[in-house]
Amino acid sequence: NAGVMQNPRHLVRRRGQEARLRCSPMKGHSHVYWYRQLPEEGLKFMVYLQKENIIDESGMPKERFSAEFPKEGPSILRIQQVVRGDSAAYFCASSRGTGEYTGELFFGEGSRLTVL
Amino acid sequence: DAKTTQPPSMDCAEGRAANLPCNHSTISGNEYVYWYRQIHSQGPQYIIHGLKNNETNEMASLIITEDRKSSTLILPHATLRDTAVYYCIVRPQAAGNKLTFGGGTRVLVKP
C-alpha cells in the first residue's frame, strides 16, 4: 500500500510564475490536509479538504493560494504569482473518513518550493 | 484544541531510554494525546496516541497521568536515527480534525 505521494519533490520558480503541487492520498483515504513549513520554522496548517469540498481553509493566505481535491485525481495546491516568501516545504497528509479511524494523519515527504 | 507545553530541546545517550514530557493541563474529555516526530527534512511521522490508558507499540510507550494533565513519551532504547523534533498534540479523534503543531522538542541522540 503506497503512502502519500507528493510531486514534484523539488520545484524552482521565478517570481510571478505559478506553482502547482500535487498530492495523492493513501488508498482508501478521503481526507487531505496541506501544511507549510518555512525554513527553520514549524508546520503550519493551511487547508483541509474532502473529495470535491474544502472543509477548513483557515490557514490559507487570502490571496494567490488555492486548493482543490477533485472527484478523480490528486489534490492540487496552487500558488499564483509566487514571491520569495513562498519558498518553503509544503507537506500533504491524508486520513480515513470512516471505519477504523484512529485519528492518525499520514504525511508525504513534501514538496520543496524555491522562488528565485 | 488544547495547548501543549514541551521543553524546546533535550539530549539523550544512544542506547538509553529517552523520556519526553508534555504538559496539557487544559485537555478536554474528548481529546486524545498524539505524538508525532519529524526527522530532518522529512514528513512528520505518527508515533503513538492515547486517551487515558498507557499505550505501547513497536516505537514507543505513552504514559498519561491519571488527571490527564500531562504525559510522557518513552523511547526505550534511543538510536541515532531517533534524532528528530517530537511533537505532542492534543485533539479529538473524530475524522476531520487537523493537527496543530507547536514548537516540539528537538531531541539529539548522542553516541
Side-chain angles (χ1 to χ4, degrees):
Chain A
N1 188 11
V4 176
M5 304 300 292
Q6 291 189 247
N7 68 83
R9 293 293 308 278
H10 300 274
L11 182 64
V12 179
R13 286 286 179 265
R14 297 190 180 280
R15 282 178 295 171
Q17 293 185 317
E18 179 179 286
R20 285 190 180 223
L21 309 177
R22 289 176 291 279
C23 170
S24 296
M26 286 182 67
K27 186 177 180 180
H29 287 193
S30 58
H31 296 226
V32 166
Y33 309 75
W34 284 93
Y35 286 79
R36 178 167 65 173
Q37 188 168 34
L38 296 170
E40 304 303 321
E41 294 191 14
L43 290 143
K44 301 298 183 186
F45 167 78
M46 298 181 74
V47 62
Y48 157 50
L49 311 99
Q50 295 179 22
K51 283 288 188 180
E52 301 185 276
N53 289 303
I54 295 175
I55 307 302
D56 180 356
E57 56 181 348
S58 57
M60 285 280 271
K62 293 289 186 280
E63 298 178 347
R64 303 187 297 109
F65 285 73
S66 63
E68 63 177 11
F69 189 16
K71 186 177 181 181
E72 300 292 336
S75 176
I76 307 287
L77 180 67
R78 181 185 179 202
I79 311 171
Q80 295 177 288
Q81 299 176 303
V82 296
V83 301
R84 288 207 174 122
D86 297 332
S87 295
Y90 292 83
F91 291 97
C92 171
S94 72
S95 69
R96 294 180 185 275
T98 58
E100 294 183 11
Y101 181 73
T102 65
E104 178 182 354
L105 269 60
F106 296 81
F107 283 82
E109 289 305 309
S111 292
R112 279 147 187 85
L113 172 65
T114 300
V115 180
L116 302 178
Chain B
D1 294 348
K3 181 180 172 58
T4 63
T5 303
Q6 298 178 253
S9 65
M10 64 183 294
D11 294 345
C12 176
E14 185 180 20
R16 305 293 292 270
N19 297 294
L20 283 62
C22 180
N23 287 322
H24 32 79
S25 59
T26 60
I27 191 170
S28 300
N30 69 335
E31 289 182 315
Y32 286 67
V33 180
Y34 288 82
W35 283 84
Y36 280 73
R37 73 179 182 183
Q38 186 177 26
I39 297 170
H40 181 62
S41 296
Q42 297 181 21
Q45 177 189 22
Y46 167 83
I47 301 173
I48 199 168
H49 79 285
L51 182 63
K52 51 185 174 182
N53 297 324
N54 297 336
E55 302 288 345
T56 295
N57 62 21
E58 65 278 3
M59 289 183 69
S61 295
L62 174 61
I63 308 298
I64 303 174
T65 57
E66 193 169 341
D67 64 6
R68 302 213 318 126
K69 293 185 177 182
S70 65
S71 60
T72 301
L73 179 75
I74 301 172
L75 307 177
H77 305 286
T79 71
L80 299 179
R81 287 175 293 182
D82 290 323
T83 291
V85 179
Y86 287 76
Y87 298 96
C88 170
I89 302 166
V90 293
R91 77 169 185 34
Q93 181 174 283
N97 286 282
K98 62 183 183 282
L99 294 170
T100 300
F101 290 85
T105 296
R106 190 174 295 273
V107 174
L108 176 61
V109 180
K110 296 182 174 180

